[in-house]
């Protein structure tokens, strides 16, 4: 029987295979690792952390500049050092994503739907495209050119997005419930028209191919290197987030048999729990804020995936 590959070899391979963009990966690092510790980081620490993924100082400086322009980060200069903190707007966006990424495995559906209806000629082309992109990011499907649907949306995030786009008073939000008398056949057909289920299924299958070997390798390692654990944890959440935030989280009745989404979430939960402690130890040692070392993680961090310490691993 072949021995499991080393975690450090898999980390290098996945970094090359996933090939994350610097700006997007910095968002992952801040949302997953920095925000639970207060949301601020010295630029030098960020450069060192991103260097673990083979990214140059130049691309990191360019990326944080763009993230400031996009209102994700804000810069504070103390002497010759720059410290980057998550903005209030960034915190709201991170919170909306966090509620989906780190949710417990179990989820319930009350068979309700949220429908957003766009009256004809209510929006100009640019605003309409921006609305479509934002709602797609939140998992809404396009039922028609003027109707978006979601079986279990984050209403707070949805209303905030409509307000930020300045269209809250031009969009009709309605609630609907599923009539099961006719079964699920027609609804399954509608779902395939609203969401690219085949692409999601393929992406989840690729995700499982990427990270199943990581679980085997980490599970077999007595003391995996903390820096490698940080890299693997970051790539895990980065790749999972990329798929999950396009997933409307449809109930099982509406999905194909052997849907890989739930299995992907289970693997992510188990692997994250295994990587959390060593990666946190590395982060606390490697990162610096304007006030010194990172503060301890907020209690909500330990509640991710239903609790990082509730199920023994190994």
């Amino acid at each position: 029987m072949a021995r499991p590959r080393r975690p450090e070899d898999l980390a290098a391979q996945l970094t090359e295979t996933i090939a994350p963009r610097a700006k997007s990966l910095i968002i992952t690092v801040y949302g997953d690792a920095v925000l639970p510790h207060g949301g601020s980081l010295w630029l030098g620490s960020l450069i060192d952390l991103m260097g673990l993924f083979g990214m140059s100082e130049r691309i990191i400086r360019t990326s944080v500049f763009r993230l400031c322009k996009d209102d994700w980060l804000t810069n504070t200069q103390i002497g010759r050092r720059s410290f980057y903190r998550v903005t209030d707007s960034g915190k709201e966006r991170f919170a909306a994503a966090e509620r989906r990424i780190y949710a417990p495995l179990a989820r319930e559906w009350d068979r309700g739907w949220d429908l957003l209806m766009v009256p004809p000629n209510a929006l100009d082309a640019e605003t309409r495209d921006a609305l479509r992109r934002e709602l797609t990011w939140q998992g809404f499907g396009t039922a028609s050119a003027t109707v978006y649907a979601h079986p279990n949306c984050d209403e707070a995030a949805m209303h905030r997005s409509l307000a930020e786009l300045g269209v809250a008073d031009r969009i009709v939000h309605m609630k609907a419930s599923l009539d099961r008398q006719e079964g699920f056949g027609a609804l399954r057909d509608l779902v395939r028209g609203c969401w690219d289920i085949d692409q999601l299924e393929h992406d989840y299958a690729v995700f499982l191919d990427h990270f199943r070997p990581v679980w085997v390798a980490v599970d077999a390692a007595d003391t995996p290197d903390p820096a490698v654990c940080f890299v693997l944890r970051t790539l895990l959440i980065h790749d999972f987030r990329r798929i999950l935030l396009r997933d409307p989280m449809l109930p099982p009745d509406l999905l194909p048999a052997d849907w890989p989404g739930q299995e992907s979430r289970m693997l992510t939960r188990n692997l994250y729990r295994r990587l959390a402690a060593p990666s946190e130890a590395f982060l606390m040692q490697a990162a610096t804020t304007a006030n010194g070392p990172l503060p301890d993680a907020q209690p909500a961090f330990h509640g991710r995936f239903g609790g990082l310490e509730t199920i023994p691993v190994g």
Side-chain angles (χ1 to χ4, degrees):
M1 184 176 180
R3 296 182 59 185
R5 299 177 62 186
R6 298 188 308 166
E8 53 266 40
D9 295 334
L10 289 170
Q13 177 187 322
L14 283 173
T15 299
E16 182 177 350
T17 300
I18 296 173
R21 292 177 299 151
K23 182 179 172 183
S24 181
L25 191 64
I26 291 172
I27 289 176
T28 298
V29 168
Y30 264 87
D32 180 66
V34 179
L35 197 56
H37 292 276
S40 179
L41 196 63
W42 173 43
L43 177 60
S45 294
L46 181 62
I47 290 170
D48 289 342
L49 292 176
M50 300 302 289
L52 297 172
F53 304 90
M55 295 186 178
S56 69
E57 177 176 344
R58 179 180 178 182
I59 191 64
I60 302 310
R61 289 182 179 275
T62 300
S63 298
V64 294
F65 174 76
R66 291 173 178 169
L67 287 168
C68 287
K69 291 188 65 176
D70 292 341
D71 199 27
W72 281 98
L73 302 176
T74 185
N75 176 28
T76 299
Q77 196 77 21
I78 301 178
R80 299 182 64 180
R81 287 190 167 191
S82 295
F83 298 86
Y84 287 85
R85 174 179 293 277
V86 179
T87 64
D88 290 341
S89 174
K91 288 178 181 178
E92 291 180 354
R93 285 180 276 182
F94 278 128
E98 182 169 336
R99 285 192 291 270
R100 297 177 61 186
I101 295 170
Y102 307 106
L105 288 176
R107 68 182 191 273
E108 296 182 359
W109 184 46
D110 62 1
R111 304 196 184 281
W113 288 79
D114 287 275
L115 303 178
L116 294 181
M117 302 183 179
V118 184
N121 303 318
L123 307 177
D124 59 58
E126 182 178 351
T127 304
R128 187 168 59 249
D129 288 344
L131 176 66
R132 177 185 52 78
R133 288 193 301 271
E134 182 63 26
L135 293 179
T136 298
W137 184 84
Q138 293 187 25
F140 277 85
T142 307
S144 74
T146 58
V147 178
Y148 297 90
H150 201 301
N152 192 21
C153 80
D154 183 334
E155 285 196 49
M158 180 266 290
H159 286 299
R160 183 170 59 251
S161 295
L162 296 183
E164 290 176 351
L165 290 170
V167 299
D169 60 344
R170 287 179 277 173
I171 305 297
V172 178
H173 176 212
M174 300 185 69
K175 294 283 190 178
S177 59
L178 175 64
D179 182 353
R180 291 192 59 192
Q181 292 183 9
E182 303 302 325
F184 291 107
L187 186 53
R188 288 195 185 101
D189 292 340
L190 179 63
V191 162
R192 285 198 171 273
C194 292
W195 291 276
D196 193 344
I197 298 299
D198 292 337
Q199 184 64 52
L200 278 173
E201 187 172 22
H202 172 267
D203 290 347
Y204 274 129
V206 172
F207 174 85
L208 290 169
D209 287 342
H210 283 166
F211 287 98
R212 277 175 176 151
V214 175
W215 167 258
V216 173
V218 172
D219 191 49
D222 293 331
T223 54
D225 181 82
V228 172
C229 289
F230 175 79
V231 171
L232 290 172
R233 167 183 157 185
T234 302
L235 293 173
L236 173 74
I237 292 300
H238 186 80
D239 208 29
F240 184 58
R241 171 176 69 92
R242 179 184 62 83
I243 307 169
L244 183 74
L245 295 184
R246 293 185 285 109
D247 186 346
M249 302 302 291
L250 296 169
D253 289 334
L254 306 181
L255 292 168
D258 300 323
W259 177 248
Q262 188 73 347
E263 190 174 354
S264 296
R265 178 174 286 278
M266 187 177 299
L267 174 62
T268 301
R269 179 200 67 179
N270 293 340
L271 187 51
Y272 195 91
R273 285 175 171 174
R274 188 61 182 264
L275 296 170
S279 62
E280 281 290 291
F282 168 77
L283 185 68
M284 294 293 288
Q285 178 271 329
T288 301
T289 74
N291 299 320
L294 287 180
D296 292 337
Q298 299 165 358
F301 170 78
H302 301 285
R304 288 177 171 179
F305 297 108
L308 297 182
E309 301 171 351
T310 57
I311 297 179
V313 291

